[in-house]
Amino acid sequence: MSELPLLPPPSPFAGEAPGQLFGVPIPLAAAFKLAGTHIGNERARIAMPSAPAYGNSRGDVHGGVLAMLMDCALAAAVRSHDPARFGVATIDLTMHYVTPGQGEVIALAVCERRGRSISFARGEAYDSAGKLLAMATGTFKLLERIA
């Protein structure tokens, strides 16, 4: 996936209130202190800080936490063309765990195909040293938000 490390543009939503992720209220984003740092050009980048509560019995980032992060990142990539206008519903999410990791985790995602209502995305999660922790693919239903 050589194109994933390329960053999308910096987020126009910098400094969002807790619970917002690229203009959409997501309480889970607040609970895990997710920071949407880049979005656009079919891509998204989300950072998750390190916290003991995110760990498994060995102190590594729990697989369920990585799945939550990847779900958010892939969903953001799917709505990257107009982040504040659209939300998504996850249809499926497939995770591949590569190696255990600790500390901050960065998720990079790209929307591979956006249809009128169904979109496909893939992404990768890295630790702060750049070690690949997990890969994910997902299918999402694009939903216009009612504000």
Side-chain angles (χ1 to χ4, degrees):
M1 288 194 200
S2 61
E3 59 276 0
L4 281 180
L6 298 176
L7 290 180
S11 175
F13 303 98
E16 286 182 308
Q20 295 282 316
L21 194 56
F22 301 123
V24 174
I26 303 174
L28 197 61
F32 284 90
K33 298 177 178 61
L34 302 185
T37 60
H38 294 75
I39 192 164
N41 301 335
E42 311 302 327
R43 299 174 191 283
R45 181 183 189 272
I46 297 175
M48 182 181 69
S50 176
Y54 306 164
N56 60 21
S57 62
R58 294 179 315 278
D60 298 317
V61 179
H62 191 282
V65 173
L66 285 173
M68 175 278 308
L69 174 62
M70 295 309 298
D71 185 44
C72 289
L74 272 61
V78 164
R79 60 189 186 87
S80 66
H81 65 296
D82 197 347
R85 180 178 168 195
F86 290 97
V88 299
T90 305
I91 295 172
D92 74 16
L93 180 71
T94 301
M95 291 292 300
H96 299 281
Y97 300 99
V98 178
T99 190
Q102 297 180 355
E104 179 184 41
V105 179
I106 305 296
L108 299 169
V110 60
C111 180
E112 291 292 350
R113 168 93 165 85
R114 182 179 302 106
R116 284 179 292 190
S117 64
I118 304 297
S119 298
F120 303 90
R122 64 184 170 90
E124 298 173 343
Y126 296 89
D127 68 10
S128 57
K131 179 174 65 173
L132 178 64
L133 304 179
M135 299 178 292
T137 57
T139 309
F140 300 85
K141 179 162 180 60
L142 195 60
L143 303 167
E144 191 154 359
R145 295 182 37 76
I146 301 171

